[in-house]
Amino acid sequence: MAEKAVEEEEQSVVVGLGLIQRESESAEEIMLLWGIQQPLLSKNNAFVAQSSLQLRIDACGRHLSILQSPSSLGTPGVTGSVMWDSGVILGKFLEHSVDLGAISLQEKKVVELGSGCGLVGCIAALLGAQVILTDLPDRLRLLKKNVETNLYGEVRGSATVNELTWGDNLDPDLRDPSPDYVLGSDVIYSEEAVMDLMETLVDLCGRQTTIILAGELRNDAILEYFLEAATKEFIVGRVDHKQWHPDYCSLRVVIYVLVKR
């Protein structure tokens, strides 16, 4: 009975979402997104200014100031030094969902993958979560500075910064106990990264973990590759735009929710 209750709870996470149950449905999902949403016709970087040294945004009753490093964008493979629309949209989606009572992050263990500038993790901490923000070693300095700058005074939750390379062995603090939520924005960008990301997700997540990933629709082949890999291990649901923060929507961005099969 206990196992059945857990299974029903997991299924409830994705009720009302566009479910992608089987690998064969991945191609249909791609056709739907590119055919109906036509993401490339929508405005790029609607909520960010990547040439700026700072992104200012209001969230959780605070004026957040997220430092960026635009000069680092010229370094091959470095994209986490500036904010992207998907990160802003995911952070505001979390705030909106908590305000509506759709989810609760209070005292929940949250791991953010590919934290970059740290906006999503900071918002999760302000919403009450115990957040571990992770990224590659050379990204941690900017990440730590943004956490320290924005999580001052009384904060409902907490935030720590850890090094994590996808595909490597996980630090015990990350996986024991399993996180309640795993968050990520713009983490699907190459086939090689997808395989490392999937390995980390499978190792990191327990049966009670909910994964929420937001990404910009740039490359249909890579997204299809991710969905084919993800549906082998997870139930995948796409979050309808009606559930997003009404002021932070873009047809160039998609949000997926995943739970282990």
Side-chain angles (χ1 to χ4, degrees):
M1 292 294 292
E3 290 183 2
K4 184 177 180 181
V6 170
E7 183 177 346
E8 289 176 350
E9 183 178 348
E10 290 168 353
Q11 294 284 351
S12 70
V13 173
V14 289
V15 166
L17 307 182
L19 293 183
I20 308 160
Q21 297 275 28
R22 297 179 297 278
E23 182 179 343
S24 61
E25 296 176 341
S26 300
E28 297 174 13
E29 170 74 358
I30 298 302
M31 290 178 63
L32 178 66
L33 290 175
W34 262 263
I36 295 180
Q37 289 193 196
Q38 298 187 1
L40 299 183
L41 298 180
S42 299
K43 183 180 178 181
N44 188 29
N45 294 335
F47 305 113
V48 300
Q50 294 175 341
S51 61
S52 173
L53 295 175
Q54 206 169 45
L55 171 72
R56 298 183 183 275
I57 185 170
D58 290 342
C60 307
R62 292 199 181 201
H63 303 297
L64 302 184
S65 177
I66 303 297
L67 300 176
Q68 303 186 120
S69 178
S71 61
S72 299
L73 272 179
T75 304
V78 176
T79 58
S81 60
V82 296
M83 286 299 306
W84 300 84
D85 278 354
S86 59
V88 176
I89 287 171
L90 178 57
K92 297 301 288 187
F93 167 75
L94 294 175
E95 181 183 18
H96 185 61
S97 298
V98 169
D99 287 345
L100 293 178
I103 64 173
S104 172
L105 295 182
Q106 187 64 41
E107 298 184 359
K108 301 293 186 181
K109 180 179 179 180
V110 172
V111 175
E112 185 186 9
L113 302 178
S115 297
C117 296
L119 173 66
V120 174
C122 285
I123 289 178
L126 291 171
L127 293 170
Q130 313 299 313
V131 187
I132 304 175
L133 299 90
T134 68
D135 215 319
L136 296 170
D138 60 341
R139 320 288 163 81
L140 298 186
R141 182 178 180 183
L142 179 63
L143 179 56
K144 288 178 179 178
K145 194 166 187 179
N146 278 326
V147 170
E148 293 168 358
T149 299
N150 291 284
L151 299 183
Y152 55 85
E154 292 189 12
V155 177
R156 290 170 59 187
S158 65
T160 57
V161 174
N162 280 23
E163 173 187 332
L164 175 63
T165 301
W166 302 342
D168 285 1
N169 292 331
L170 293 176
D171 203 16
D173 290 343
L174 293 177
R175 64 188 304 177
D176 187 20
S178 299
D180 298 291
Y181 289 91
V182 172
L183 308 175
S185 60
D186 250 346
V187 293
I188 303 166
Y189 50 84
S190 73
E191 290 188 3
E192 181 181 0
V194 163
M195 296 314 298
D196 291 336
L197 172 63
M198 288 304 305
E199 183 177 342
T200 294
L201 287 175
V202 170
D203 289 346
L204 177 62
C205 300
R207 294 298 303 276
Q208 85 286 1
T209 305
T210 300
I211 304 165
I212 308 176
L213 304 179
E216 303 207 18
L217 298 172
R218 301 188 188 93
N219 188 310
D220 57 341
I222 292 174
L223 180 57
E224 184 176 354
Y225 186 78
F226 165 76
L227 292 173
E228 288 176 349
T231 50
K232 294 174 182 176
E233 303 285 347
F234 300 94
I235 299 170
V236 181
R238 175 168 37 84
V239 182
D240 190 276
H241 284 93
K242 294 176 183 177
Q243 296 174 267
W244 297 19
H245 191 295
D247 297 330
Y248 292 88
C249 292
S250 170
L251 295 179
R252 295 183 69 97
V253 175
V254 65
I255 300 178
Y256 287 112
V257 174
L258 296 78
V259 292
K260 262 189 174 177
R261 291 189 177 277

